[in-house]
Amino acid sequence: MSAALTVLATAGPLAAGWSTHLYVLRRRLSTARRDPLTGLRTRDGFTRRATTLLRDERAVVVLADVDRFKQINDTHGHAAGDALLKATADRLAHYVGTDGVAGRLGGDEFAAVVIDKHGTVADLLTILHGVLARPAAGLDPAVHTTVSLGWVRVTDFPGEDLSGLLRRADEAMYAAKQARAGVRRAGLGMLFATLTGRRSGRRGARTGGPMGRAA
């Protein structure tokens, strides 16, 4: 066997080994970026995809928070709470589709970035709010709650990054929760719910400035 053939013979298994190793690493990385309960992207995975989507001027950032989630856990148990979170995630993912991205930021808080191709996102989010309030399949009908939504258009605040837009969407979401309005858009005008527009102790709370408007 020539020297060249010898090199190829020994390099083949080595290359195959590295290929398998890289495949396993990619699978592990992909798994690490998925929330084990809901299957949605974790904060890191969501941030990566969302940052790319924000380059589209039609992008809309949505922040969703399950209302009275602690009460559900305390009354019906954590298994029921987990099932409710899974149902919420599935419905949000269905709404977002393949053109956007949805993620679980932690606890009962979810985020999404969608591309508003037809300028109808306000109407669609109102419909989504109703869908998210439906009882989860297979659970006692008593195990249900509403989900408050806050949203913001990328073009409403030019130059702001994902973190800033999520903060504004969160402020709008909290105002919707306080007013029991369901859905609220961040934009011009002051949110009346609190001075900061966010729950006490939340990161990114502000002390003034324009925060939100009704959808």
Side-chain angles (χ1 to χ4, degrees):
M1 181 180 295
S2 69
L5 289 177
T6 301
V7 171
L8 289 175
T10 56
L14 181 61
W18 272 109
S19 179
T20 301
H21 180 65
L22 289 174
Y23 173 78
V24 171
L25 286 178
R26 291 193 186 101
R27 287 292 301 270
R28 288 179 178 176
L29 183 59
S30 177
T31 300
R33 290 176 179 169
R34 291 284 176 178
D35 175 53
L37 173 63
T38 65
L40 294 183
R41 296 179 188 237
T42 59
R43 183 182 292 271
D44 180 58
F46 170 78
T47 298
R48 289 172 179 270
R49 176 61 177 152
T51 300
T52 298
L53 291 174
L54 291 184
R55 297 170 186 167
D56 191 322
E57 62 180 11
R58 301 169 299 174
V60 172
V61 177
V62 183
L63 203 293
D65 191 86
V66 179
D67 299 325
R68 304 185 304 279
F69 182 68
K70 184 178 184 302
Q71 180 180 334
I72 293 291
N73 271 339
D74 292 345
T75 303
H76 301 282
H78 289 282
D82 286 350
L84 184 62
L85 290 178
K86 182 65 167 62
T88 299
D90 290 345
R91 292 163 179 173
L92 181 62
H94 179 75
Y95 164 77
V96 170
T98 57
D99 292 335
V101 62
R104 183 186 181 195
L105 301 187
D108 59 341
E109 185 174 69
F110 301 87
V113 174
V114 296
I115 305 301
D116 186 18
K117 296 180 180 179
H118 307 292
T120 57
V121 70
D123 294 332
L124 292 175
L125 286 174
T126 298
I127 294 173
L128 175 65
H129 176 259
V131 170
L132 293 177
R134 296 174 185 170
L139 285 180
D140 184 330
V143 184
H144 72 94
T145 185
T146 54
V147 176
S148 296
L149 302 171
W151 63 281
V152 59
R153 291 186 184 278
V154 170
T155 52
D156 285 343
F157 299 96
E160 287 212 357
D161 61 8
L162 177 63
S163 178
L165 293 169
L166 279 172
R167 182 174 62 248
R168 292 184 183 276
D170 181 78
E171 290 166 349
M173 180 278 298
Y174 185 57
K177 187 183 293 285
Q178 291 294 92
R180 297 181 181 179
V183 185
R184 185 174 289 268
R185 175 182 178 181
L188 302 177
M190 296 294 291
L191 295 178
F192 63 86
T194 66
L195 291 177
T196 63
R198 291 173 63 87
R199 279 161 282 183
S200 176
R202 293 285 299 261
R203 290 180 299 170
R206 296 182 300 181
T207 56
M211 288 184 275
R213 63 185 174 203

